[in-house]
Amino acid sequence: MEWNKLISDRRLGLEELHREESQMRSDFQRDYDRMIFSSPFRRMQNKTQVFPLPGSVFVHNRLTHSLEVSTVGRSISREVIQRMSQQGLHENERRILENIPDIVATACLCHDLGNPPFGHSGEKTISTWFSEGPGKSLEDRLTPQQWADLINFEGNANSFRLLTHQFVGRRKGGFAMTYSTLGTLVKYPWTSLNAGDKGKFGFFESEEEMYRKVATWLEIPEVSKGVFARHPLVYLMEAADDICYQIMDIEDAHRLGILTLDEASYYLLDFFEQERQDKLKRGMSYLDDPNEKIGYLRSNVIGTLVEHSADAFVNNLTPIMTGEKIEPLTKILPHRLRNAYKNCSDMAYSRIYCAPDVVDVDLAGNSIITYLMDVLMEAVLHPEKNYSQLLLTKIPKQYDFTSETLYGRIQAVLDHISGMTDVYALDLFRKLNGHSLPAI
């Protein structure tokens, strides 16, 4: 792959209007601004990241997480450009690569757009509605790939759909993002038939041709049927996401009392050699607020991971550019950092993600999404029923519940549910159950 092909400001759906003249604000900066001002981005402020939405303690939601990932992604990108510049770049190459921070920052903003309410358990609930629940009866009416799309419902693939699909009344090309931003967004560039045991994939059957169009223009190779090489900048977006959720979950867990100050400090200090640890401890001694102490450590850890992630990317640039799939950058860091990161990950699964409040959200979200799937799928499968007709009048017109295909109608249900905030989903659940009525 070549940077002059991979970095393209051609816009999906607006190809015939593409212009080459220079502008004060690049098309990649326009992508970033377009996402900041979008409704799907704003809705993430009311979607669970890991912990319940805040009461008196403000922890991360999908919006704050995405903003932080974007910031870290931009920082890693700048470090990468600096290292590549030191190796010698022609002026034209430098001009092209200067767009990388904006592309990566925008992809980071978009990476969680397609996630349903109630955290990652929302994805699992949708998948199991088909694989274990009432939706299993639909398998024979769908193609193998369509069925694989549903039983492996994936937020990343849904983000690509949200940005590219022409919803009813909307323009061709969806958000009309640049090809490079869309290529950088797709973390798992293969179909659901190639999802494997982890169930990860990058685009639904309905958007496969759209992704092929992007990949063809950017000259991203298809290494086997339905499996493409990653756009190189995916590794930077992925590293930013990995760094943020792993480190910020520790900070949130401390704020909520799941981890003590000593416990949180232990896991964050573990990223450093003893001499640096001693300096950081002295820095902490000047702070009285425990939250500020952890914030101080967190900023140092992220700074270190940013620098070494950039090193890992540049050091592995040859296999990355030839389309070889390498490990995520956080798994090829220096030994101490890699071990410290793994220790944080192991602790999070044993202490944080099974904390009572987190499990309570998972359980409640499972019940709410399952119920909404039940009633909405019943409505699109049997629209002639009186209740179905009443219910469908409440659904936003942008979702095509009258699609000629079963797959299309199912996707309309998933579009609606995945776009809901936690509060909206809960409110609709209560109204449909008769637990919440308008004031008389």
Side-chain angles (χ1 to χ4, degrees):
M1 293 178 279
E2 299 178 3
W3 288 118
N4 64 334
K5 299 292 185 181
L6 291 166
I7 297 180
S8 169
D9 59 5
R10 185 180 179 88
R11 289 194 174 279
L12 186 69
L14 299 179
E15 289 85 356
E16 69 280 2
L17 301 178
H18 182 68
R19 54 188 180 184
E20 296 291 348
E21 67 267 22
S22 61
Q23 308 163 64
M24 287 295 293
R25 190 164 56 114
S26 75
D27 278 299
F28 305 116
Q29 291 171 323
R30 291 174 188 272
D31 275 356
Y32 184 91
D33 297 346
R34 184 171 296 184
M35 191 46 47
I36 286 288
F37 286 94
S38 70
S39 295
F41 186 72
R42 286 196 302 274
R43 284 199 295 268
M44 289 199 294
Q45 70 182 309
N46 204 242
K47 285 189 175 185
T48 297
Q49 174 66 16
V50 172
F51 301 101
L53 293 176
S56 58
V57 179
F58 281 81
V59 292
H60 289 82
N61 53 41
R62 288 281 181 198
L63 181 72
T64 52
H65 167 71
S66 296
L67 287 168
E68 289 173 352
V69 173
S70 182
T71 299
V72 172
R74 190 183 292 276
S75 295
I76 300 174
S77 300
R78 286 173 173 162
E79 295 279 347
V80 164
I81 293 173
Q82 182 185 53
R83 285 157 176 73
M84 293 175 70
S85 297
Q86 291 170 349
Q87 296 177 0
L89 291 173
H90 297 301
E91 182 58 32
N92 188 51
E93 289 178 309
R94 186 187 303 277
R95 180 181 59 79
I96 292 172
L97 296 180
E98 283 176 351
N99 292 302
I100 289 177
D102 288 325
I103 296 169
V104 173
T106 305
C108 289
L109 286 183
C110 299
H111 82 284
D112 272 352
L113 281 183
N115 282 73
F118 306 110
H120 285 293
S121 66
E123 290 175 288
K124 189 66 175 176
T125 301
I126 291 173
S127 297
T128 54
W129 192 89
F130 292 98
S131 63
E132 301 174 6
K136 192 166 179 58
S137 63
L138 303 174
E139 180 177 4
D140 293 340
R141 299 170 60 184
L142 299 164
T143 68
Q145 185 170 336
Q146 291 170 351
W147 182 246
D149 286 351
L150 301 177
I151 62 173
N152 297 295
F153 182 82
E154 165 58 45
N156 192 254
N158 203 43
S159 295
F160 186 76
R161 174 176 170 81
L162 183 61
L163 290 178
T164 61
H165 182 66
Q166 184 177 5
F167 290 95
V168 178
R170 303 299 176 87
R171 67 180 173 188
K172 181 182 178 182
F175 279 82
M177 306 295 274
T178 63
Y179 279 35
S180 290
T181 294
L182 292 172
T184 303
L185 171 67
V186 181
K187 193 173 177 180
Y188 314 106
W190 47 81
T191 68
S192 58
L193 292 176
N194 298 284
D197 294 338
K198 293 184 178 180
K200 299 292 187 181
F201 65 101
F203 40 85
F204 299 120
E205 183 185 81
S206 50
E207 281 73 54
E208 181 176 351
E209 285 307 309
M210 200 81 72
Y211 182 77
R212 285 183 177 278
K213 183 178 183 180
V214 170
T216 299
W217 181 262
L218 300 178
E219 297 190 5
I220 298 174
E222 186 173 8
V223 296
S224 61
K225 183 174 175 56
V227 178
F228 293 81
R230 277 180 156 190
H231 190 297
L233 299 185
V234 168
Y235 288 97
L236 303 185
M237 178 198 69
E238 179 181 54
D241 186 28
D242 289 347
I243 290 169
C244 284
Y245 82 72
Q246 198 67 79
I247 305 306
M248 301 312 300
D249 286 352
I250 291 177
E251 185 171 16
D252 282 348
H254 171 258
R255 285 181 175 271
L256 292 170
I258 296 171
L259 296 177
T260 67
L261 174 62
D262 287 343
E263 288 173 328
S265 299
Y266 168 80
Y267 285 102
L268 296 177
L269 286 169
D270 193 37
F271 283 88
F272 305 101
E273 300 287 351
Q274 189 60 51
E275 183 179 352
R276 181 75 183 280
Q277 287 189 26
D278 293 338
K279 290 181 180 179
L280 290 171
K281 288 177 181 177
R282 284 198 296 273
M284 291 173 67
S285 69
Y286 297 114
L287 301 169
D288 294 325
D289 187 336
N291 291 330
E292 289 299 311
K293 291 176 185 284
I294 296 304
Y296 170 69
L297 291 181
R298 175 259 302 154
S299 66
N300 279 274
V301 171
I302 289 179
T304 295
L305 291 175
V306 163
E307 292 177 6
H308 285 280
S309 294
D311 287 337
F313 181 82
V314 174
N315 292 340
N316 289 275
L317 195 54
T318 297
I320 288 173
M321 294 299 285
T322 55
E324 181 181 335
K325 188 175 185 297
I326 66 169
E327 291 285 339
L329 300 183
T330 52
K331 291 190 176 182
I332 53 176
L333 296 171
H335 180 74
R336 171 171 284 278
L337 296 179
R338 190 168 67 249
N339 278 359
Y341 186 91
K342 184 179 186 304
N343 290 338
C344 288
S345 179
D346 292 344
M347 179 275 296
Y349 279 98
S350 64
R351 294 282 304 280
I352 296 176
Y353 304 145
C354 63
D357 286 349
V358 175
V359 176
D360 286 346
V361 170
D362 290 347
L363 291 171
N366 186 289
S367 295
I368 293 169
I369 292 178
T370 297
Y371 176 79
L372 295 178
M373 287 290 296
D374 287 343
V375 296
L376 289 172
M377 284 299 301
E378 176 69 13
V380 300
L381 291 174
H382 303 286
E384 73 283 356
K385 293 184 178 180
N386 179 59
Y387 183 77
S388 298
Q389 294 175 23
L390 287 172
L391 180 58
L392 292 176
T393 62
K394 291 182 59 63
I395 308 305
K397 302 303 181 186
Q398 72 187 69
Y399 303 123
D400 188 10
F401 281 90
T402 61
S403 171
E404 294 181 358
T405 68
L406 171 62
Y407 181 60
R409 295 195 296 276
I410 292 173
Q411 283 193 304
V413 171
L414 301 185
D415 289 335
H416 185 34
I417 290 178
S418 63
M420 294 178 182
T421 64
D422 293 17
V423 171
Y424 182 93
L426 174 60
D427 182 57
L428 183 59
F429 172 79
R430 286 172 171 167
K431 286 178 179 176
L432 296 181
N433 276 288
H435 297 157
S436 176
L437 294 172
I440 298 176

